[in-house]
Amino acid sequence: MVKLNKIYTRTGDDGTTGLVDGSRVAKHDPRMAAIGDVDELNSVIGVAIVEMDKGEAASQLSIIQNDLFDLGADLATPAQDDANFEPSDMELRIVPSQVERLENEIDVMNDALEPLASFILPGGSKAAAAVHVARAIARRAERTIAAASEDMPINPQVRAYINRLSDYLFVLARYLNRDSGDPLWVPGGSR
């Protein structure tokens, strides 16, 4: 369990930050950009949760918030090569079952929805709108994780999880709007 007695350490005043293995990298390192986007995503998911009734969706999002801390820890734990992503007592890694859980939840929600007849506009209820913001941030996190993976080994399950999460958030926003309907894009509708 993590125990923080002191919040500031002054060790980052030089523009670096520590990774799980004790190494230090620049705060603008691609790995840190990815971790920052994941942190922002986790924060906006918290906003989405407070906009919805306590229920299954809020419960699932709370699990996802925990997964995103796991994902951040995975990103903050350097690997020596692309094959070294097995979790251990000392290394927290995203695993296939976390990705599969998202896929199962997507399928359950999607089965309760009408097929898409048009692109949808981000919006609808306050909760759905907040989830759409989270979806957009998830897409950005996916891009920064992909960019970081060009410079260093990144767990393939991290990439799969963040890709699936943006799909999950899209379907969840539609699911939250299922009673009122999705706002639809009308191509050229304002000409």
Side-chain angles (χ1 to χ4, degrees), residues 10-12 19 22 34-36 47 50 55 64 73 78 80 85 93-94 97 103 107 112 116 137 144 147 159 169:
R10 297 187 177 121
T11 57
L19 298 177
I35 291 169
V47 171
V50 301
I64 288 167
Q80 298 307 312
F85 293 106
R93 299 293 186 188
I94 294 294
S97 62
E103 291 172 348
D107 291 342
L116 280 173
I137 295 170
T144 56
R159 293 191 307 260
L169 293 167

Side-chain angles (χ1 to χ4, degrees), residues 39 58 129 191:
D39 184 38
R191 289 189 214 173

Side-chain angles (χ1 to χ4, degrees), residues 35 37-52 54-74 92 94 98 101-102 105 130-131 134 138 161-162 165 168-169 172:
I35 291 169
D37 285 349
V38 169
D39 184 38
E40 183 181 350
L41 171 58
N42 206 341
S43 297
V44 80
I45 287 174
V47 171
I49 290 170
V50 301
E51 289 295 346
M52 60 182 62
K54 301 298 180 223
E56 186 64 26
S59 233
Q60 289 175 358
L61 286 177
S62 292
I63 292 168
I64 288 167
Q65 283 190 299
N66 197 77
D67 283 351
L68 289 174
F69 263 88
D70 291 354
L71 193 144
D74 192 326
L92 189 56
I94 294 294
Q98 289 169 292
R101 189 190 71 248
L102 287 177
E105 291 171 1
V131 169
Y161 186 93
I162 201 74
L165 180 56
Y168 170 90
L169 293 167
L172 176 59

